[in-house]
Amino acid sequence: MHRFYSFLVTSFLIITFSFAEEVTQFVNPFVGTTTLWTPEELGFVPKQGERQWGAEAFPGAALPNAMVQLTPVTAYRSGSGYQYEDSLIYGFAHTSKGHWNLLHLPILPVTDEGKPTPQSYASSYGHDNEEAHPGYYQVFLKRYNVNVELTTTLRCGYHRYTFRKGDNRGVLIDIARSNNNPRRWELKQAGKNAFEGFQDGEGRIYFYAELSEDIESVTEEGRPNREEGGWTRNDGRSRNFSRPVGMVKLKKPKGSKPLEIKIGFSFVSIENAKENLEAELAGKSFEAVRKDADKTWNDILGHIQVEGGTEADKRMLYSTFYKTFLFPHLRTDVNGESAVEGSSGQKLGFNYYTNPSFWDTYRNKLILLGMVTPDVARDIIRSCIVRGEARGGYMPTFFHGDHASTFVAGSWLRGIKDFDLSRAYALMLKSATVPGRGGRPYLDEYLERGWISEKDTVNVPTGDEYKGAVTKTLEFAYDDYATALVARELGDKENEQLLLKHSQNYKTLFDPSTGFWRGKVLRNGKGVWIEDFRPNYPYYQYQYREADAWNSLFFAPHDPMGMVALYPSKQAVEQKLDSLFTVKNGGYPAFNCTGYLGLYCHGNQPGHSIPFTYYFVDKQEKAQHVLNTLMHKYYGMGKEGLAYAGMDDAGEMSSWFVLNAIGIYTYSPADPEYIVTVPLFDKVHFTLGNGKSFDIVKEGNGEKIKRITIGGTPLQGWFVKHSDLAEGKELRVETY
């Protein structure tokens, strides 16, 4: 009996281990760090030697939604700071996102033998001696003959430098450099083996560092002019600046052991940075911290387990899933104090996070993040409420549109309810109905006539800034729908009806004569279609935001059948879609638009829901063919097999892949449901953040769906409810 029981236990452990494998082994943080160069990949002929945008991802060490991202810098003002094609490393910065900002406090180990100067200190490196894993990064710096290893906690970085025996070692602190051009900083010694200070640049970041060896001195070198802790012009006329660097000299510069630096950060104070360091790194070895980081990532990424599929699909799944959790960033210290704009040091009672990239990630990433880490999603929403109440009573926006409303509605309706919905709704409603600074741009026009006018002009260059009037009109209509869902939850019937009416404004700029959503200008008080209309010409923000008319088709996630009804027939919609995915694009060079499938640009977000339109004209198999083509040919591009079709935009491009790969996509993220696709894997086991789990099972290897069942019952239509999945019902997709 005892032997039989032991056999059962052993068998159970083997089965459990084989199912819940160490998924971090499949993550490649270098995915998304390269760019596209050839006309075939880009969709246009680039200028000789001109680098286009890549996914702008970073390969360094980080934990999910952490304060610290410890990553190499190969170029400033370059998105994440790292470009795989580069050959020099300038330092290892402690924050990164992928949007040309951050890169706080770059640090570089140096030797006298490498002959660093304040003006020249970068080191060459090679990919043959570089590796990255979740929570760990390593590279060998050729100039200084030093091996660099990095790992992190939530609020701290941990450096380990192994120098060549006999070399004179030191540490360069690039105190005056980041992507935000800091003008104020402080750097000083803080004990026999510590230094501390701050650096401005998208918030003031404070730091406190401890070294494994004693410090001889901490100095700033290479700056003849100084004023109030910042750098100034050398003379009244010159626009050239003198940038200093900090130098940490060791008492025993020829030590034989690896040099370790533990550095804590805070956006509140140096004292908090020190406290963060003590709480997260005191008494811990580098290997222990690295192991903890790997476990943290394995726990997060292990929420999705797959069977079947190719090895390449599996690696891309977990590499993209990993990037879902790198942003937003934590801004609360271990003592509970947060760096809230205008009132740093508040104790809010929850973790405060930076503003999400709403225009990008409302489509998929924020919902996926909430499915796995609902506590983080809840605190991001709470942070948005605090930020909005402090900024004039509007929900925070990002870059172009609104979309916090979509995140709030979609999260609440999926069961994330431990935040004050009434406070959130007050901000959302004001954003939708009251024009003002901090709210939706051009809302007065939108409320007056249901659409936003564009500037009356011609021959607009690709990169010029205008209103993005068509995109804003369509997206405001969807945000109105999302806000109406919250109004319904709170029993505000009057505003629910008003907002639902406004949600139909997506129809106001549909031009039936061309079958496109098209901009209008005001002439003599009347709306007139823009005459200089080139459907395949990409704009930065004229009529369309980072898109052309083709990639602005079919955006009404809340009313797909109403959208289809604008056309003469379903066949007309099918023909329009067929043209989109097969007709060659115009070849116009535009940084924001790369990676074309026909006229469709997968390298930017505006069109990412378009392929699903085939579902609503009874051609689901055509949608799946497009999805499969995009997943297999537009991720892992380029000669290294690491590029995306375009910029990841804080995880949106990655999350698009994850959701389609497992068979459920957030077509209308505000609604608690998913459009069902054919997964890449035979079986997907998904564990939600509340511990409940569900399976997605694929039968057959075709692109056409024959039948869908949920919990054994045939699914009516194409959408599966989140509540059914949360109850543990199996989603089965039969194909042929």
Side-chain angles (χ1 to χ4, degrees):
M1 184 70 175
H2 177 74
R3 291 176 61 189
F4 179 70
Y5 176 78
S6 297
F7 171 78
L8 286 178
V9 171
T10 303
S11 300
F12 174 78
L13 290 175
I14 292 173
I15 293 170
T16 302
F17 180 77
S18 63
F19 188 70
E21 60 188 333
E22 298 290 321
V23 295
T24 51
Q25 65 181 302
F26 301 108
V27 177
N28 183 356
F30 288 110
V31 166
T33 63
T34 64
T35 189
L36 303 176
W37 294 93
T38 69
E40 294 75 21
E41 294 169 325
L42 290 167
F44 56 84
V45 178
K47 294 181 181 178
Q48 184 67 32
E50 182 180 70
R51 181 187 185 273
Q52 307 302 309
W53 288 358
E56 308 306 331
F58 66 88
L63 289 186
N65 300 107
M67 184 180 294
V68 169
Q69 300 79 42
L70 183 43
T71 191
V73 179
T74 66
Y76 289 94
R77 303 302 299 164
S78 62
S80 73
Y82 180 91
Q83 298 174 351
Y84 194 87
E85 298 88 355
D86 291 339
S87 59
L88 296 176
I89 287 177
Y90 289 88
F92 301 97
H94 294 82
T95 61
S96 183
K97 174 187 174 186
H99 277 71
W100 294 271
N101 58 344
L102 302 177
L103 301 187
H104 286 103
L105 200 71
I107 293 179
L108 188 72
V110 296
T111 64
D112 288 351
E113 290 74 15
K115 298 180 180 179
T117 70
Q119 294 76 33
S120 172
Y121 46 82
S123 173
S124 61
Y125 74 105
H127 299 303
D128 57 339
N129 202 340
E130 181 188 35
E131 64 175 301
H133 307 281
Y136 175 78
Y137 174 84
Q138 174 273 328
V139 69
F140 183 79
L141 301 181
K142 296 180 180 179
R143 178 174 179 176
Y144 303 109
N145 289 289
V146 56
N147 189 58
V148 175
E149 295 176 277
L150 310 173
T151 189
T152 58
T153 62
L154 282 174
R155 304 168 181 88
C156 304
Y158 199 154
H159 303 238
R160 182 165 68 183
Y161 306 143
T162 303
F163 293 85
R164 185 172 59 182
K165 186 176 181 180
D167 282 355
N168 283 281
R169 307 164 303 151
V171 180
L172 184 146
I173 313 294
D174 212 352
I175 190 66
R177 294 291 292 275
S178 79
N179 267 351
N180 293 97
N181 294 320
R183 291 179 176 271
R184 297 287 182 271
W185 61 79
E186 181 178 84
L187 174 65
K188 62 182 181 180
Q189 191 169 345
K192 67 176 184 178
N193 68 332
F195 63 84
E196 65 184 23
F198 67 81
Q199 184 191 57
D200 283 354
E202 192 157 318
R204 174 169 288 184
I205 192 169
Y206 298 90
F207 55 89
Y208 178 86
E210 293 181 349
L211 282 67
S212 60
E213 298 184 19
D214 290 351
I215 296 172
E216 176 68 32
S217 64
V218 177
T219 59
E220 291 184 26
E221 300 181 4
R223 182 184 60 193
N225 254 338
R226 181 172 186 178
E227 180 180 315
E228 297 179 5
W231 51 268
T232 60
R233 290 183 178 139
N234 291 327
D235 59 68
R237 297 180 181 179
S238 173
R239 293 187 63 83
N240 296 316
F241 297 92
S242 173
R243 290 186 182 274
V245 296
M247 291 298 298
V248 178
K249 297 181 179 180
L250 305 175
K251 282 192 174 182
K252 295 181 179 180
K254 290 183 179 289
S256 58
K257 293 182 179 180
L259 176 64
E260 295 187 348
I261 303 177
K262 298 178 178 180
I263 181 165
F265 290 90
S266 168
F267 284 82
V268 176
S269 67
I270 292 175
E271 291 74 22
N272 281 17
K274 184 176 182 179
E275 187 175 357
N276 290 341
L277 178 65
E278 293 172 347
E280 295 183 355
L281 285 181
K284 291 187 177 181
S285 68
F286 185 93
E287 293 302 335
V289 174
R290 178 187 176 183
K291 185 176 180 181
D292 287 346
D294 184 78
K295 183 181 185 304
T296 296
W297 277 113
N298 198 69
D299 289 345
I300 289 288
L301 303 180
H303 279 259
I304 293 178
Q305 298 279 344
V306 297
E307 298 176 14
T310 68
E311 183 77 5
D313 288 342
K314 194 171 186 177
R315 291 188 178 280
M316 188 58 68
L317 170 69
Y318 287 111
S319 295
T320 52
F321 195 28
Y322 164 77
K323 296 186 185 301
T324 300
F325 300 96
L326 293 175
F327 185 80
H329 296 154
L330 179 67
R331 288 294 182 264
T332 297
D333 296 323
V334 292
N335 64 5
E337 293 183 349
S338 300
V340 182
E341 293 90 336
S343 183
S344 184
Q346 286 191 51
K347 288 194 174 183
L348 300 172
F350 60 88
N351 281 330
Y352 188 73
Y353 289 92
T354 55
N355 208 31
S357 299
F358 280 123
W359 190 58
D360 313 311
T361 59
Y362 83 96
R363 307 166 198 270
N364 47 41
K365 176 256 182 69
L366 290 173
I367 298 301
L368 179 58
L369 182 148
M371 293 170 72
V372 177
T373 55
D375 291 349
V376 175
R378 172 205 65 198
D379 284 352
I380 293 172
I381 293 172
R382 289 173 169 177
S383 301
C384 288
I385 293 171
V386 169
R387 194 175 294 114
E389 290 174 343
R391 293 183 178 180
Y394 294 100
M395 257 297 176
T397 61
F398 174 82
F399 186 59
H400 167 76
D402 188 352
H403 310 317
S405 54
T406 303
F407 178 36
V408 172
S411 299
W412 180 271
L413 295 173
R414 286 175 173 82
I416 302 175
K417 297 189 175 183
D418 43 353
F419 64 91
D420 193 329
L421 185 64
S422 296
R423 287 172 64 192
Y425 176 62
L427 300 172
M428 294 161 59
L429 185 62
K430 185 175 180 179
S431 295
T433 60
V434 181
R437 185 175 182 179
R440 294 181 185 175
Y442 315 112
L443 181 62
D444 52 345
E445 294 186 47
Y446 177 84
L447 294 176
E448 179 183 351
R449 55 180 176 266
W451 54 276
I452 298 167
S453 66
E454 194 50 270
K455 183 177 181 179
D456 194 354
T457 187
V458 295
N459 299 321
V460 175
T462 289
D464 278 16
E465 283 269 12
Y466 289 91
K467 288 181 171 181
V470 176
T471 302
K472 283 186 173 67
T473 298
L474 298 180
E475 293 183 351
F476 287 179
Y478 184 61
D479 290 326
D480 288 338
Y481 170 78
T483 307
L485 295 180
V486 177
R488 181 181 302 165
E489 286 290 298
L490 294 174
D492 185 356
K493 297 295 184 182
E494 181 179 353
N495 281 310
E496 177 193 351
Q497 293 305 310
L498 173 69
L499 293 163
L500 287 175
K501 180 181 177 181
H502 289 178
S503 75
Q504 294 297 298
N505 285 338
Y506 76 89
K507 299 175 181 178
T508 60
L509 292 181
F510 178 74
D511 175 16
S513 69
T514 63
F516 290 102
W517 276 261
R518 181 177 177 181
K520 287 182 180 179
V521 297
L522 280 176
R523 292 179 186 164
N524 300 318
K526 294 183 179 180
V528 179
W529 294 119
I530 286 176
E531 296 171 6
D532 185 16
F533 181 63
R534 294 169 283 172
N536 64 347
Y537 189 82
Y539 295 104
Y540 184 64
Q541 196 169 209
Y542 180 70
Q543 300 183 76
Y544 315 102
R545 183 81 207 201
E546 300 181 24
D548 56 20
W550 281 101
N551 288 279
S552 302
L553 285 168
F554 307 121
F555 184 81
H558 55 302
D559 188 22
M561 297 313 298
M563 174 184 66
V564 168
L566 295 174
Y567 289 82
S569 64
K570 289 184 176 181
Q571 290 72 27
V573 173
E574 181 184 358
Q575 291 171 6
K576 197 81 168 180
L577 288 166
D578 289 346
S579 296
L580 171 65
F581 294 112
T582 58
V583 175
K584 186 175 175 58
N585 81 309
Y588 297 106
F591 276 108
N592 300 90
C593 298
T594 57
Y596 284 85
L597 174 61
L599 289 155
Y600 169 78
C601 173
H602 194 65
N604 214 326
Q605 290 78 21
H608 277 184
S609 63
I610 292 177
F612 303 100
T613 310
Y614 274 122
Y615 278 71
F616 310 112
V617 295
D618 307 321
K619 295 294 179 181
Q620 167 274 324
E621 67 276 13
K622 285 190 173 184
Q624 191 62 49
H625 182 73
V626 171
L627 298 178
N628 287 344
T629 300
L630 294 173
M631 285 189 284
H632 286 131
K633 295 184 178 181
Y634 289 73
Y635 293 80
M637 300 176 72
K639 63 181 181 180
E640 300 91 356
L642 298 173
Y644 285 2
M647 188 175 170
D648 192 29
D649 276 316
E652 191 279 343
M653 187 82 72
S654 294
S655 298
W656 188 97
F657 183 95
V658 172
L659 289 166
N660 281 294
I662 66 173
I664 50 174
Y665 187 71
T666 49
Y667 180 77
S668 176
D671 287 298
E673 61 184 16
Y674 312 92
I675 196 167
V676 178
T677 67
V678 179
L680 295 180
F681 307 96
D682 297 334
K683 184 176 182 179
V684 177
H685 184 73
F686 196 120
T687 302
L688 295 167
N690 61 8
K692 297 180 180 179
S693 62
F694 60 89
D695 291 337
I696 303 172
V697 178
K698 178 180 69 172
E699 290 186 7
N701 294 308
E703 294 183 331
K704 188 170 184 177
I705 296 177
K706 178 171 62 176
R707 189 171 76 137
I708 304 172
T709 60
I710 181 69
T713 301
L715 184 69
Q716 301 300 312
W718 298 111
F719 291 90
V720 61
K721 295 179 181 178
H722 179 86
S723 58
D724 283 338
L725 297 176
E727 289 176 10
K729 295 180 180 179
E730 179 190 83
L731 177 66
R732 186 171 290 267
V733 184
E734 301 175 19
T735 71
Y736 61 94

